[in-house]
Amino acid sequence: SVAAVASVAAIFADSSLVFWSLVRSANGLYKGGRYAESRAAYGEILRRSGAGGSLHGVPIERANLATIHYNWARAAFKDGLHLEALTQCELALAQQAGYPNALIQRAQCQMELHDFDKATGSYDELVKLAMSTEPPPGGAPASEWAELRDRARALRDADPCEVLELDVASLAPPADEGALRKAYRAQCLRWHPDKHTGGSAEDSARAHHMFR
């Protein structure tokens, strides 16, 4: 009937339905473990949304855009692409400040990239958020986020030999200064940014933080 045709036409013209259909498809790829495909799908949704955050002229709520960026981030994290995941977390937080899931994922990415200073700050944000919101981020109390913050801080402030995994015990007793210098220099050369220029952006970022 004319009414039925008009109804179907209205459905296809409803950009919000098109948007959620795309999101469901991308989420289905993620749940199926097809992380690379889900990342591409989330990217396509954001590409179609454009800089203005709308689909076919219909605005998309910032919270929904933040969720898409976060979903892309967790898919990238599953694929071991921590730098890409970190970028998407920052974009999610730009859309929705204090977004708990994005904060959690960002901290995890920073730990994987050995950026312990920024990870300390991210976990500190989660501690404060857990103390002021209900339910707390990730369902974890402030004390658990504080433990992770303290771990990140300890790594940030640790003795270089510990961070670089120098086996000082094998060089002692007594520790020979020349042997220690040689071992330390070997690790510095291992993580020097110039040694990673031909690698991935992920390797370069990790090397940068370790060398620093």
Side-chain angles (χ1 to χ4, degrees):
S1 68
V2 175
V5 171
S7 177
V8 171
I11 291 173
F12 279 93
D14 188 339
S15 295
S16 64
L17 292 179
V18 174
F19 171 78
W20 288 114
S21 177
L22 292 170
V23 170
R24 280 194 297 272
S25 296
N27 290 345
L29 291 169
Y30 176 86
K31 291 176 181 177
R34 298 158 67 180
Y35 304 124
E37 292 173 72
S38 69
R39 283 162 41 224
Y42 292 127
E44 179 62 18
I45 294 170
L46 292 167
R47 186 192 68 78
R48 293 191 186 191
S49 301
S54 64
L55 194 65
H56 303 306
V58 177
I60 299 171
E61 292 183 13
R62 293 174 69 89
N64 291 331
L65 290 172
T67 300
I68 295 169
H69 282 295
Y70 163 69
N71 286 342
W72 184 344
R74 63 177 185 163
F77 193 87
K78 288 283 190 180
D79 271 341
L81 301 172
H82 306 110
L83 196 60
E84 179 180 318
L86 180 59
T87 297
Q88 293 304 316
C89 286
E90 296 292 4
L91 291 170
L93 290 166
Q95 293 291 342
Q96 184 180 346
Y99 182 11
N101 289 343
L103 285 172
I104 294 169
Q105 190 74 83
R106 183 178 71 175
Q108 292 171 338
C109 289
Q110 289 162 342
M111 290 296 289
E112 291 292 336
L113 291 167
H114 298 166
D115 192 350
F116 304 126
D117 185 46
K118 288 187 178 178
T120 299
S122 291
Y123 281 125
D124 195 50
E125 283 188 58
L126 286 163
V127 170
K128 294 174 182 175
L129 194 62
M131 294 173 67
S132 61
T133 60
E134 189 63 39
S143 58
E144 288 190 23
W145 296 119
E147 286 181 19
L148 291 170
R149 178 198 59 196
D150 293 345
R151 176 171 172 262
R153 180 185 291 143
L155 286 168
R156 181 195 67 185
D157 300 336
D159 183 287
C161 290
E162 294 178 25
V163 177
L164 293 172
E165 299 176 351
L166 290 182
D167 187 3
V168 179
S170 68
L171 303 171
D176 178 79
E177 184 177 347
L180 278 171
R181 287 180 178 275
K182 182 179 179 181
Y184 188 77
R185 183 173 182 274
Q187 286 294 320
C188 287
L189 288 173
R190 172 190 174 191
W191 293 108
H192 195 286
D194 289 348
K195 296 285 186 179
H196 298 267
T197 54
S200 66
E202 178 100 359
D203 291 338
S204 296
R206 187 176 289 107
H208 168 75
H209 294 301
M210 286 297 286
F211 184 76
R212 188 177 66 179

